[in-house]
Amino acid sequence: MTAHYRRLDVRELHRAGVLVPGWRGGWNWYRNGQKRASVNIEAGEASIQLCYRATDRGEWKDYDYTVRLSRSSCHYGGERPWFLCPCCGRRVAILYGGAVFACRRCYRLAYEVQREGDADRLARRADAIRDRLKWEAGILNPDGWKPKGMHWRTFWRLKDEHDRLKGGVLGAWAQQLGIVESRLGRLERR
């Protein structure tokens, strides 16, 4: 999954001024306030140079390579930068760090929501409504009441949608438990 990899996002680099030709410096990743990894970047006209150390099968290796950049025109002027994946050459906004920074297709990565089951998807949507209604997260928690300033019609529409989603999740869970029960019953009869 993409969440388990370090991301190098061309949009963040662009906003931070890193892609200006001649820029040199480090890009860091933090977890819980502590620096976990860094990469040295040197920006050129149409590329950036990445230099860093990483482990490959338990052994530290030095990496130093170029990632080409592409630019596309925006409708209202200006340009948008893109990475060209060092492995496949595709134009992408995000490179994921393994031994080499590459696009998610080269690493065969999926987003978390692509691996969700139907019940998980319904529960995530119900939690999004709970968040909008300022209720405690989790469909098994009690429902709250209308947030101050929200129109009653909006509240009732959101509550109806939440209740429909919650019913779908509980039904899917009950079906999964029924499947487990029937399998356990078959095992007990043996």
Side-chain angles (χ1 to χ4, degrees):
M1 282 195 283
T2 58
H4 301 293
Y5 285 76
R6 290 188 176 83
R7 299 165 32 120
L8 200 55
D9 191 327
V10 74
R11 297 163 294 197
E12 289 178 18
L13 295 176
H14 182 64
R15 277 191 297 270
V18 172
L19 301 180
V20 174
W23 188 92
R24 290 177 129 176
W27 192 258
N28 302 311
W29 288 271
Y30 294 89
R31 186 181 308 140
N32 299 328
Q34 293 183 354
K35 185 166 112 176
R36 291 294 185 190
S38 66
V39 62
N40 290 318
I41 300 174
E42 186 175 339
E45 282 293 324
S47 65
I48 60 171
Q49 188 76 20
L50 299 179
C51 183
Y52 58 94
R53 292 190 79 197
T55 57
D56 185 20
R57 297 182 189 114
E59 192 176 312
W60 284 97
K61 288 188 176 181
D62 292 324
Y63 294 91
D64 189 357
Y65 58 94
T66 300
V67 176
R68 293 186 349 241
L69 298 172
S70 170
R71 299 194 183 272
S72 63
S73 299
C74 297
H75 290 293
Y76 295 108
E79 293 180 323
R80 175 172 293 143
W82 299 93
F83 289 128
L84 295 177
C85 176
C87 297
C88 68
R90 285 182 63 239
R91 186 173 80 172
V92 295
I94 300 172
L95 296 176
Y96 296 91
V100 173
F101 281 90
C103 70
R104 72 181 184 91
R105 288 210 179 154
C106 289
Y107 277 120
R108 294 187 174 129
L109 300 175
Y111 297 114
E112 274 186 65
V113 295
Q114 290 175 305
R115 298 191 190 272
E116 279 183 339
D118 292 338
D120 296 327
R121 187 171 289 113
L122 293 174
R124 183 173 44 81
R125 288 175 54 201
D127 269 342
I129 292 173
R130 292 182 75 82
D131 184 51
R132 190 164 169 200
L133 292 171
K134 298 180 179 25
W135 294 353
E136 186 179 356
I139 62 167
L140 297 179
N141 288 318
D143 295 349
W145 196 239
K146 182 182 88 65
K148 184 176 180 180
M150 180 178 280
H151 290 276
W152 279 103
R153 188 164 53 184
T154 302
F155 170 74
W156 288 117
R157 180 179 50 80
L158 289 173
K159 183 166 180 1
D160 287 345
E161 177 69 6
H162 171 267
D163 292 347
R164 187 185 66 76
L165 293 168
K166 182 178 179 178
V169 173
L170 295 175
W173 287 349
Q175 185 179 14
Q176 288 172 349
L177 289 173
I179 291 169
V180 171
E181 272 183 22
S182 67
R183 287 181 184 166
L184 287 174
R186 278 186 261 148
L187 287 174
E188 287 175 359
R189 283 180 255 154
R190 288 185 184 177

